[in-house]
Amino acid sequence: MSDEEPNGEPNGEPPPPDRRSGVLRRMTARGRNEEHRAATPLELFFDLCFVVAVAQAGRQLVHALAEGHPGHGIPGYLMLFFAVWWAWVNFSWFSSAYDTDDVVYRVVTLVQIAGVLILAAGIPRAFDEANYTAVWLGYAVMRLALVSQWLRAAHSSAGAERRTALKYAVGVCLCQVGWLGLLLLPDRAKPWVFLVMAIAEMAVPAIAERRQQTAWHPHHIAERYGLFTIIVLGETVSAATVAVQSALDEHEAVGELLPIASGGLLLIFAAYWIYFAVPIHLHLASNRQAFLWGYGHYLVLGSAAAIGAGIEVAVEESVGKAHISTFAASACVTVPAALFMFCVWLIHSRHYKRGTAQQLVLPVSALAVLACTFAGGAAVLLAGLVGVATVAVGVTLFTRNPPEPEPSPQHS
């Protein structure tokens, strides 16, 4: 992909936007090297509302897995999580490049939040009845609001930058029409509709930015993904806590629940530590690097949320509420935890690892977590201890051989 800078000042950097309050400001591209660029309160509110939909998808996954229907629950979870994640991704990258924080921008963002709440309300029906009407409608509200933002950006720009914005607007509209296949085609065709449309959705940014790169901010994007990861992990803690509380209220099975609660908490703590061990914004120097990193977060965030669902399933199995084996319940925790570790290494932390020993820590730990599946009732606790050992070994190796600092990415 081209690393050409957006239109702006002679040095390739757009002029800083006027951040004073206003109803409608010209939507000019923000600078790639803008200092002190941080997430806004509106973006944090946006993330919190999106996690409502993540929680809904996780809850349905718990029910499906606990009833012994992984063939139904896992594909459904992957489809619905993609819809939520991709809408969040599109907003985050757009706001990194064009956030004006004026009244119109805020109202359109609130409309997008309303869309995700509609989508969240339709998740149970999509899971249980393959009825995607509410999900499609909520997604349409989010996506058409985004189209209005891209048209506004196109109106305020010229040349290659304007063409890029128009390509985004057209691509999003065409994809939304394609998602009608979930409403009009028979159930057996819906997984194929999802696969084709997911590929089409992810192709839109690559096509739109082939000639002209939007002015997303590396540090801002890294912070946005990090904050969403924190919120997803927080939802995982919340879901696991509710599950343990419910089991205690109904069964008072402290002996069975304590190892699961302890191991699950250690896993979540380790997941947080592992993800934030590196300053990834220094790696995001081009579209090619940033897009691969950003797209890979579908598995990172999806597996992080699934850890919480797995802990809930393990709790239900321990008190006899789930209709699956201990092995299957353990796998509901260990598989997403191992996937999280491996994906974080693959797209995120390996860029800052030095030497074979550092590079092997997370892949080996992922295998060790999978091996814990065979430990019966102690599987979750052992997986949590593996997570602690992973952090300890990683910190020790980092202290002995810290990475050399990378220069800040230049965009001139």
Side-chain angles (χ1 to χ4, degrees), residues 309-323:
I311 294 171
E312 290 190 67
V313 173
V315 167
E316 292 191 8
E317 189 279 330
S318 70
V319 295
K321 291 179 63 177
H323 303 142

Side-chain angles (χ1 to χ4, degrees), residues 6-170:
N7 295 333
E9 295 297 305
N11 63 357
E13 191 66 28
D18 181 4
R19 308 309 298 165
R20 295 173 297 177
S21 60
V23 175
L24 181 65
R25 288 195 292 269
R26 187 168 181 267
M27 185 172 271
T28 55
R30 300 188 61 158
R32 292 292 303 274
N33 296 324
E34 181 181 337
E35 295 183 356
H36 310 298
R37 181 71 192 277
T40 65
L42 181 61
E43 288 173 325
L44 297 177
F45 182 50
F46 186 88
D47 293 355
L48 284 171
C49 293
F50 263 62
V51 170
V52 173
V54 174
Q56 280 278 42
R59 193 171 299 118
Q60 298 303 315
L61 178 63
V62 169
H63 294 161
L65 294 178
E67 293 298 320
H69 304 303
H72 169 71
I74 294 175
Y77 172 77
L78 292 175
M79 291 171 63
L80 292 167
F81 187 86
F82 177 87
V84 177
W85 168 79
W86 187 246
W88 178 88
V89 165
N90 277 242
F91 166 80
S92 297
W93 289 80
F94 177 87
S95 66
S96 188
Y98 288 105
D99 180 9
T100 57
D101 199 33
D102 57 16
V103 171
V104 174
Y105 180 88
R106 291 186 179 189
V107 170
V108 174
T109 301
L110 295 176
V111 170
Q112 289 177 281
I113 291 174
V116 77
L117 297 179
I118 295 171
L119 186 152
I123 285 177
R125 182 169 294 181
F127 252 93
D128 298 336
E129 305 170 17
N131 185 335
Y132 290 91
T133 303
V135 169
W136 185 91
L137 178 61
Y139 195 64
V141 170
M142 290 186 286
R143 305 294 276 161
L144 293 179
L146 179 67
V147 168
S148 73
Q149 297 280 49
W150 279 116
L151 291 176
R152 183 181 170 191
H155 178 74
S156 300
S157 58
E161 184 183 355
R162 182 174 186 272
R163 289 192 293 273
T164 295
L166 290 175
K167 287 177 184 178
Y168 265 111
V170 172

